[in-house]
Amino acid sequence: MNDTHTHADSSQGLPSFSDWMAQVQQRTESALAGVLPDPAIAPARLHEAMRYAVLGGGKRVRPLLAHAAGELAGASAADLDRIACAVELIHAYSLVHDDMPCMDDDVLRRGKPTVHVEFDEASALLAGDALQTLAFQVLAERPLGADPASQLAMLTQLAIASGSRGMAGGQAIDLAAVGRKLGREELEFMHVHKTGALIRAAVLLGARAGGALGEGELDRLDHYAKVVGLLFQVVDDILDAEADTATLGKTAGKDADHDKPTYVTLLGLTEAKRLADEMLDDARRTLRPLGARALRLEQLADYVVHRSF
Ligand code: GRG
C-alpha cells in the first residue's frame, strides 16, 4: 500500500492531522468518561465493567469520522461529542460481546484482558447490553441537531446500523460462515453489515448534525462512508495476517486459525493490498468536489489504510 499522507493541513494554517486526531481522541475520552455511570453508584461491578470496556483504549476511528463529517457540515462540537460517544458505545458493546466464549472467545482486546476474563461472562453480557442502551440515551436525552425530526432520524439510523439489518446481522452472517468458502460478494455483504454499517452511521450522523450540506453532498459522504467501512475491514484482514499480537493489542492470526473467510484468504495478500489502494483512491475521488472542507475525511481514509493496529 502506497504511503501518500497529505500535508495540505500545514499549508492552510490548520492543526496537523496528528494534532487534530489527538484533540478529538481526548475530547471523546472526556465525553465518554462523563456519560458512563460512576462506579461508586450501584451496581458498582457492572459500572466498572462498562468503564473498563470503553475507557483508555481504542483508536476512536468512528468518533474521528463523526467529527470530521460534522465539522464539514457545520455541526456544533457539543452535538458531535454526543454522536461520537453514541457510536463508540455501540462499538465497545460489540467488541465485548464479540470476545465472549459464545462468539469469538478471545482473551485480549486493546492490549488488556477482555471483559469476560477480567470480570465474568454475566458481567460482560450485561455491560454490553447497558453500553448499547446508553448509546441511545446519550442521543435522545436532550435536543440534538437542527430539530426533533432530524434527531429522530439520527436515532433511527443508529438503530438500523446496529441491528439485524446492520452490525448484529453482519455478525450473524460471520458466525454462520466459519469453515465455509465465501465468494467475494458474500464476503462483502457480510462486512458491509458487520463493520461497514456503524462506520457509515458515524459519518452520516455527524453530517446530519450540521445543516450545511446539500443532498448531492450528503450522497457523496454516504459513498465515501461505504467505501471507508469496507476499506477498514480489508485492512483489518491484512493486519490480522501480517501484524503481531503485541502491535495489534488483540490476538493476531485469529481469522486463519478459526478458518474464517477473509479478503486475504480469498484474494491473497498482494491482491488485498491492491484492493485497499484502489478503495483509497475511490474515497479520495469521491471527496474531491467537496474541496478543502473534506481534508480531515481524506486524511482519515489515509489513516485507515496506513494504521499499524
Ligand atoms: C456482537 C453484535 C455483535 C457484533 C460484533 C464489530 C463486531 C461485530 C465485532 C468485532 C470483531 C472484529 C475484529 C471485527 C473486525 C473489524 C473491527 C470492528 C475491528 C475492531 O475495531 P477497531 O480496530 O478497534 O476500530 P479499536 O479497539 O481501535 O476501537
Side-chain angles (χ1 to χ4, degrees):
M1 291 175 280
N2 302 318
D3 197 341
T4 47
H5 268 281
T6 168
H7 297 289
D9 43 352
S10 51
S11 64
Q12 292 172 4
L14 293 170
S16 69
F17 176 61
S18 54
D19 285 352
W20 174 82
M21 187 158 103
Q23 259 172 39
V24 174
Q25 286 167 332
Q26 274 160 22
R27 63 182 299 143
T28 301
E29 187 75 14
S30 325
L32 286 165
V35 299
L36 281 160
D38 188 331
I41 295 170
R45 191 170 165 79
L46 175 59
H47 292 162
E48 270 168 36
M50 290 167 73
R51 296 182 80 89
Y52 179 89
V54 176
L55 298 176
K59 299 175 286 296
R60 311 300 193 201
V61 167
R62 296 149 194 83
L64 287 160
L65 285 164
H67 273 274
E71 285 174 19
L72 164 62
S76 77
D79 278 0
L80 292 176
D81 283 338
R82 285 168 64 199
I83 290 166
C85 281
V87 291
E88 191 66 12
L89 289 167
I90 297 278
H91 171 58
Y93 123 70
S94 80
L95 298 181
V96 174
H97 282 190
D98 182 65
D99 288 333
M100 290 183 68
C102 59
M103 295 215 200
D104 232 17
D105 194 10
D106 216 327
V107 294
L108 192 69
R109 171 69 66 184
R110 294 176 168 175
K112 54 187 193 180
T114 47
V115 178
H116 66 275
V117 170
E118 183 71 15
F119 293 81
D120 53 75
E121 273 186 50
S123 299
L125 187 69
L126 288 173
D129 290 342
L131 290 173
Q132 178 170 203
T133 52
L134 180 60
F136 291 100
Q137 181 189 330
V138 166
L139 287 188
E141 65 192 347
R142 289 196 308 281
L144 180 76
D147 50 41
S150 90
Q151 184 170 10
L152 265 182
M154 286 189 239
L155 282 157
T156 306
Q157 188 150 31
L158 188 62
I160 293 171
S162 312
S164 68
R165 303 297 301 274
M167 184 182 73
Q171 179 78 345
I173 298 167
D174 189 6
L175 291 170
V178 175
R180 270 186 55 222
K181 263 204 157 0
L182 292 191
R184 170 96 176 255
E185 271 182 28
E186 282 180 297
L187 189 66
E188 188 166 313
F189 184 80
M190 170 176 86
H191 290 313
V192 160
H193 292 83
K194 185 178 114 171
T195 314
L198 190 59
I199 288 182
R200 187 173 167 216
V203 172
L204 293 180
L205 263 65
R208 233 185 236 282
L213 291 179
E215 223 21 71
E217 290 180 320
L218 274 174
D219 289 347
R220 216 162 255 293
L221 280 199
D222 193 19
H223 182 75
Y224 162 87
K226 283 184 200 160
V227 172
V228 168
L230 208 51
L231 175 59
F232 187 90
Q233 188 60 53
V234 175
V235 175
D236 204 70
D237 287 353
I238 294 168
L239 289 172
D240 187 71
E242 279 199 321
D244 55 56
T245 298
T247 310
L248 290 180
K250 61 181 180 183
T251 315
K254 265 218 101 173
D255 295 340
D257 290 352
H258 282 206
D259 204 13
K260 274 196 170 183
T262 72
Y263 280 97
V264 173
T265 54
L266 188 74
L267 305 173
L269 253 182
T270 310
E271 188 55 23
K273 287 183 181 178
R274 203 195 54 74
L275 176 64
D277 283 338
E278 217 175 72
M279 294 171 88
L280 178 58
D281 279 347
D282 186 357
R284 288 201 178 115
R285 267 197 314 276
T286 305
L287 294 175
R288 205 159 294 146
L290 296 165
R293 293 177 300 157
L295 176 66
R296 298 307 184 198
L297 287 173
E298 184 186 344
Q299 290 170 325
L300 279 170
D302 203 62
Y303 168 73
V304 162
V305 175
H306 297 111
R307 71 203 155 100
S308 55
F309 67 101

